[in-house]
Amino acid sequence: MSKFIATAVIRGSHQVVNHAETSLKKAISEKGKDLKFEFPDTAFYLPFYYAITGKELKTLGDMEISLNHAKSMLSAEPDDKSWLPYLGEALDAGIATLFAEEIIEAVRYIYGEEPAKEADGFTYNGFITDTILRDLGIQLVDGRMPGFAAVLGAAKDSKEAVKVIRQLQERKILIFLAGETNGNSVTKQLRQENIDLGWETYIVPLGKDTISVIYALNWAIRSAMMFGGIKKGNYKDILKYTLDRVHAFALVLGELDDIKWTTGAGAISMGFPAISHSKVPEIKPNGVCRYEEVVWEPDIDKIVDKSIEVRGLKIEIEKIDIPVPYGPAFEGERVRKEDTYLDIGANKTMSFEYLRMKNMDDVSDGKIIIDGPKIDEKEGLYPMGILVEVAGRKMQKDFESILERKIHHFLSEAHGVFHMGQRDMNWIRISKEAYQSGFRLEHLGKILHARMHSEFPAIVDKVEVMLITDEAKAKKLLVEAQKSYKERDERVAGLTDETVDIYYSCTLCQSYAPNHVCVITPERLGLCGAYNWLDGKAAYEIDATGPNQPIKKGRIIDSVKGQWEGVNEFVYNKSNQAISVFNAYSMMDNPMTSCGCFECIIALLPEANGVMIVNRGFTDMTPCGMKFSTLAGSVGGGNQTPGFLGVGRLYLTSKKFLLADGGIKRIVWMPKELKEQLKEGIQKRAAEAGVPDLLDKIADETVGTESSAVCEFLQRVNHPALTMEPMI
Ligand code: SF4
Ligand code: ZN
């Protein structure tokens, strides 16, 4: 590292550590050492400090430990390796900076100053919760989000800011915004241009100053413990994990100052390089990290591609011949009523989408037909049916629903197109802005044609799209579509674990949790909720060497626990020989492992002789004495943890739900919202189990989140679990 930079880094570090010391002292004198503090919805205390040292800082007084640690790192002689980590003087100063920044933000939270607000009420994101990390889990591993960029400072003007951000969005990179340059910032510039900010559009403003970058860093570092199963305090492996698996980088617009330098040095220790638009003196590589460098890219049009090159990201940009930007970052954008040019469906007009398989000869690839009036010639509300016909040598009837379900993503990823719902309950809007850019009805067809090919190259050879705007014709087709929707539902409902010989694996999450294998059966979907058995089957057809492989069940060992010879063997091999026995229907005896993306967690409640279930998104306390975030910490990481299980939501209403442990009658507590969502399914299964009023006997947060209150309630309603045989 050049002398110039090392000096700036160390100078900045002293500044930040002093800042932390002043604010912590003030907080302690005003609020006392014993004041408890927790960032919102996390099980990782002060996550950065926790990851590096393993220490749980729970109070203001505890934060002095981290502060003193940071101070000692700055005062130590270069050859004094008594403190951790030792990465070289300037990089350690960077780590000390991050310790201190975490304290500064914690104290700000205590004083209600975070998340930061602008005068007009606009609120920054602030701390990033565990829930968000888990929510994004699959997207991080399946390539939908190939990387993260922390964009610091401000661009030359707001147009330039938009240009850079759009490039990142089109490349599906998640963007964090922080810091400012001379009172201006990219956040402010994007707001000036009325750009939608938020998780849906991949643009997350963290805070006003550079210090808020710590939110992105103490978020990234959690993934090592949450998904990688690396133990807290094992800082070497943790930093290696962030280097190898968290594809982040910083993009610095505007001048660099000492605080940016020193925060950047901390990020570099995690393996995240920085690419700067303003000139930087050369930095020589040094030490354990791959990127001990800040790269200068003077051409603003090239800065995004340069960053991708430096960080070594693999990104494919979808090239579709339409006049608006395209990519998943635009999926979450809404089109407001006043901005709408074409409005279709929304329960106001007849609207549906239907995909069917055809013979090769009956489909002409790329043909797009508009059957009926050209509704895109005049603004308004219209009926329309979308018919997609596909043919392919490996196409199967079973895949129709999978391809059809993708219509939502495909259409809504176009900037200015809003799509909601599915089948005969969809809603499409095209914005005035998109219309003015030249977007017409036929472009919907172009998108569907292009994406069906790019997403399903192995099963789709030909795609034809018909947009039926003639209401009478559309109605006629709707009858056929509805018949087909019904047939598909019946077919899926009829699939059971017994009626098939092949299950499917999913090892997509192994890039995060190296020993985790999801075994997907017709009656138990992947724990993230995103892959069911049919999806697994289709995915295997699409990519025979991909993460979804067929598993021959083989000889059955135990039909109640759900254990098969072939499955055991497969799991053993694919879990790096970590798991040798696997039961699909038990949470007590060799259960499935969890990566971290589970929709729900089931936990044993011994005192109730049953189980409680909590869904991701429910952030309050639960009767087992842990919040979702804490529970998740003990379930994830690819280990078998009897008594705890991560599952997909729909498994809760499966006939195979905890078959070996007593089934649905074991459920004694779940959040009200989850009860509502699954009401129909639970009632059906409960009736089959001979307890038709089970739903009313399941406690929720309105009964209590204390185990004693729950038990009292269970006694009162005579819950069936109380008289079942003991779970342990
Ligand atoms: Fe990950 Fe399992 Fe979902 Fe596959 S099915 S993405 S392994 S959680
Ligand atoms: Zn996962």
Side-chain angles (χ1 to χ4, degrees):
M1 196 171 276
S2 82
K3 185 121 189 292
F4 170 85
I5 292 172
T7 314
V9 167
I10 292 165
R11 207 166 46 216
S13 189
H14 279 283
Q15 229 173 304
V16 177
V17 172
N18 286 342
H19 180 171
E21 182 163 30
T22 316
S23 47
L24 185 58
K25 265 200 186 133
K26 174 168 171 278
I28 288 177
S29 75
E30 289 172 7
K31 313 247 175 198
K33 274 194 180 201
D34 295 334
L35 185 86
K36 284 207 163 37
F37 173 76
E38 236 171 38
F39 280 114
D41 186 22
T42 182
F44 298 90
Y45 310 93
L46 266 54
F48 192 81
Y49 195 70
Y50 180 72
I52 299 287
T53 66
K55 292 202 178 96
E56 303 170 0
L57 309 181
K58 297 176 180 168
T59 62
L60 273 175
D62 288 348
M63 289 180 208
E64 285 180 331
I65 299 172
S66 164
L67 180 71
N68 290 333
H69 193 154
K71 281 163 74 177
S72 76
M73 286 173 82
L74 286 180
S75 62
E77 292 298 314
D79 56 351
D80 173 6
K81 296 183 187 177
S82 59
W83 35 264
L84 303 172
Y86 187 82
L87 304 167
E89 194 182 7
L91 290 180
D92 281 331
I95 296 270
T97 298
L98 301 188
F99 288 171
E101 290 183 341
E102 206 167 38
I103 296 172
I104 294 170
E105 296 294 21
V107 171
R108 284 177 178 171
Y109 258 98
I110 290 170
Y111 281 93
E113 294 161 8
E114 282 287 311
K117 273 197 178 69
E118 291 292 349
D120 64 358
F122 172 83
T123 308
Y124 290 83
N125 186 86
F127 184 80
I128 308 171
T129 64
D130 290 1
T131 304
I132 287 177
L133 185 48
R134 286 180 202 286
D135 267 336
L136 292 181
I138 320 157
Q139 300 186 46
L140 302 180
V141 300
D142 73 2
R144 258 177 292 165
M145 264 184 198
F148 314 91
V151 179
L152 296 176
K156 193 178 81 227
D157 53 39
S158 59
K159 293 276 179 282
E160 192 172 287
V162 173
K163 198 152 81 181
V164 173
I165 294 300
R166 287 288 186 235
Q167 285 190 32
L168 289 165
Q169 279 183 305
E170 281 187 326
R171 285 159 181 77
K172 310 174 200 172
I173 290 172
L174 180 61
I175 306 153
F176 297 115
L177 305 177
E180 47 178 38
T181 315
N182 305 325
N184 205 354
S185 70
V186 173
T187 304
K188 287 181 186 165
Q189 292 172 325
L190 295 183
R191 292 191 66 213
Q192 252 168 42
E193 296 289 324
N194 280 321
I195 307 276
D196 280 342
L197 304 180
W199 290 96
E200 304 77 32
T201 55
Y202 287 35
I203 313 170
V204 184
L206 293 174
K208 287 187 187 178
D209 57 12
T210 305
I211 291 178
S212 60
V213 172
I214 184 67
Y215 293 136
L217 299 176
N218 76 6
W219 179 69
I221 208 162
R222 265 174 274 165
S223 65
M225 298 175 284
M226 202 185 267
F227 298 122
I230 302 173
K231 293 259 170 320
K232 60 183 183 179
N234 182 357
Y235 70 90
K236 275 191 192 136
D237 285 355
I238 284 180
L239 295 179
K240 179 145 185 355
Y241 185 93
T242 54
L243 167 73
D244 292 339
R245 312 226 181 197
V246 182
H247 305 295
F249 59 88
L251 215 159
V252 189
L253 305 173
E255 295 300 309
L256 280 140
D257 53 37
D258 288 354
I259 307 289
K260 288 197 182 102
W261 277 121
T262 193
T263 307
I268 285 173
S269 311
M270 294 174 72
F272 307 154
I275 293 81
S276 166
H277 184 41
S278 45
K279 189 161 171 51
V280 292
E282 196 195 352
I283 306 170
K284 291 265 185 298
N286 156 37
V288 298
C289 299
R290 199 186 297 160
Y291 307 107
E292 291 186 23
E293 52 188 326
V294 176
V295 177
W296 177 40
E297 176 50 66
D299 184 348
I300 195 78
D301 290 327
K302 292 196 184 136
I303 196 161
V304 169
D305 281 332
K306 180 64 156 211
S307 313
I308 288 163
E309 180 198 318
V310 171
R311 189 61 176 102
L313 303 183
K314 286 201 180 48
I315 294 175
E316 287 163 32
I317 324 182
E318 207 78 46
K319 280 274 173 259
I320 302 178
D321 186 20
I322 52 172
V324 295
Y326 190 84
F330 305 106
E331 185 180 333
E333 284 181 338
R334 296 187 71 88
V335 174
R336 281 174 278 265
K337 195 169 190 315
E338 59 275 21
D339 302 328
T340 302
Y341 180 76
L342 281 187
D343 211 349
I344 296 159
N347 294 326
K348 293 198 201 86
T349 62
M350 185 210 40
S351 174
F352 66 92
E353 56 206 37
Y354 174 45
L355 181 141
R356 69 183 173 198
M357 177 182 159
K358 283 269 168 174
N359 287 330
M360 222 39 137
D361 294 341
D362 299 335
V363 181
S364 48
D365 186 45
K367 191 160 159 193
I368 295 158
I369 303 167
I370 297 177
D371 191 1
K374 289 192 173 153
I375 58 173
D376 53 7
E377 286 176 349
K378 192 166 169 291
E379 185 178 326
L381 174 71
Y382 300 98
M384 186 173 84
I386 300 178
L387 173 68
V388 183
E389 295 186 316
V390 300
R393 270 155 299 148
K394 291 170 97 184
M395 179 66 193
Q396 300 180 20
K397 198 95 186 122
D398 268 350
F399 301 159
E400 283 182 346
S401 55
I402 294 168
L403 270 56
E404 188 183 282
R405 222 169 48 199
K406 287 280 182 176
I407 292 176
H408 166 74
H409 296 285
F410 294 169
L411 294 185
S412 44
E413 288 184 13
H415 181 45
V417 177
F418 166 81
H419 178 283
M420 223 174 87
Q422 50 165 331
R423 293 187 170 178
D424 53 357
M425 296 193 303
N426 66 349
W427 177 11
I428 300 170
R429 269 182 174 171
I430 295 171
S431 73
K432 287 178 186 159
E433 190 198 333
Y435 176 78
Q436 274 145 21
S437 316
F439 194 93
R440 298 292 178 270
L441 217 49
E442 58 165 336
H443 291 119
L444 296 178
K446 286 209 164 155
I447 296 169
L448 292 174
H449 170 257
R451 291 300 307 272
M452 287 294 168
H453 274 294
S454 67
E455 192 101 340
F456 303 104
I459 52 181
V460 166
D461 292 323
K462 289 178 169 183
V463 183
E464 182 176 329
V465 181
M466 202 186 282
L467 304 158
I468 306 147
T469 55
D470 178 310
E471 192 160 8
K473 281 189 188 167
K475 266 192 182 142
K476 231 173 108 194
L477 182 65
L478 178 61
V479 177
E480 187 201 316
Q482 282 168 334
K483 193 168 151 254
S484 170
Y485 300 151
K486 195 159 164 258
E487 279 166 11
R488 286 179 198 163
D489 288 347
E490 283 162 4
R491 157 121 174 84
V492 171
L495 281 175
T496 65
D497 289 3
E498 290 80 17
T499 53
V500 301
D501 295 323
I502 303 270
Y503 296 154
Y504 288 91
S505 65
C506 188
T507 49
L508 200 56
C509 285
Q510 286 201 345
S511 55
Y512 271 97
N515 294 342
H516 173 71
V517 184
C518 269
V519 174
I520 305 175
T521 76
E523 293 179 272
R524 184 172 181 184
L525 78 171
L527 54 86
C528 58
Y531 292 86
N532 65 25
W533 184 83
L534 273 180
D535 296 316
K537 187 175 171 199
Y540 174 65
E541 290 296 338
I542 294 162
D543 179 4
T545 57
N548 300 100
Q549 293 293 317
I551 309 176
K552 279 214 178 72
K553 284 193 315 194
R555 193 177 65 84
I556 189 148
I557 299 172
D558 191 321
S559 63
V560 176
K561 287 183 180 165
Q563 197 187 133
W564 303 265
E565 224 167 54
V567 176
N568 274 349
E569 209 173 288
F570 185 96
V571 171
Y572 181 70
N573 286 328
K574 286 295 155 86
S575 65
N576 302 309
Q577 278 119 45
I579 313 289
S580 52
V581 180
F582 172 96
N583 289 321
Y585 314 145
S586 175
M587 67 178 284
M588 301 306 292
D589 182 9
N590 291 297
M592 190 157 96
T593 58
S594 297
C595 44
C597 336
F598 29 70
E599 287 187 297
C600 300
I601 298 173
I602 311 175
L604 177 69
L605 274 187
E607 61 276 31
N609 199 33
V611 301
M612 54 148 279
I613 302 171
V614 56
N615 54 303
R616 181 170 63 180
F618 183 82
T619 51
D620 291 340
M621 192 40 100
T622 76
C624 70
M626 288 184 261
K627 293 181 184 172
F628 181 92
S629 47
T630 318
L631 261 174
S634 45
V635 185
N639 302 312
Q640 282 180 321
T641 41
F644 298 95
L645 193 65
V647 298
R649 224 161 27 92
L650 288 179
Y651 176 59
L652 305 178
T653 57
S654 160
K655 282 190 178 161
K656 299 296 195 295
F657 173 75
L658 301 188
L659 192 64
D661 309 317
I664 197 156
K665 289 191 287 185
R666 287 289 186 190
I667 305 179
V668 298
W669 188 94
M670 65 205 290
K672 208 169 162 45
E673 184 199 345
L674 187 61
K675 265 163 88 173
E676 280 301 316
Q677 280 173 359
L678 299 175
K679 193 169 166 186
E680 238 176 83
I682 293 180
Q683 278 170 340
K684 199 163 154 219
R685 293 285 166 255
E688 285 165 9
V691 203
D693 57 348
L694 180 67
L695 200 64
D696 303 328
K697 297 185 173 185
I698 298 175
D700 56 35
E701 70 274 22
T702 63
V703 169
T705 48
E706 292 271 328
S707 145
S708 56
V710 172
C711 286
E712 230 167 77
F713 172 84
L714 299 176
Q715 293 285 355
R716 202 166 57 233
V717 299
N718 201 9
H719 191 287
L722 301 176
T723 52
M724 290 169 78
E725 89 184 65
M727 270 192 93
I728 35 176

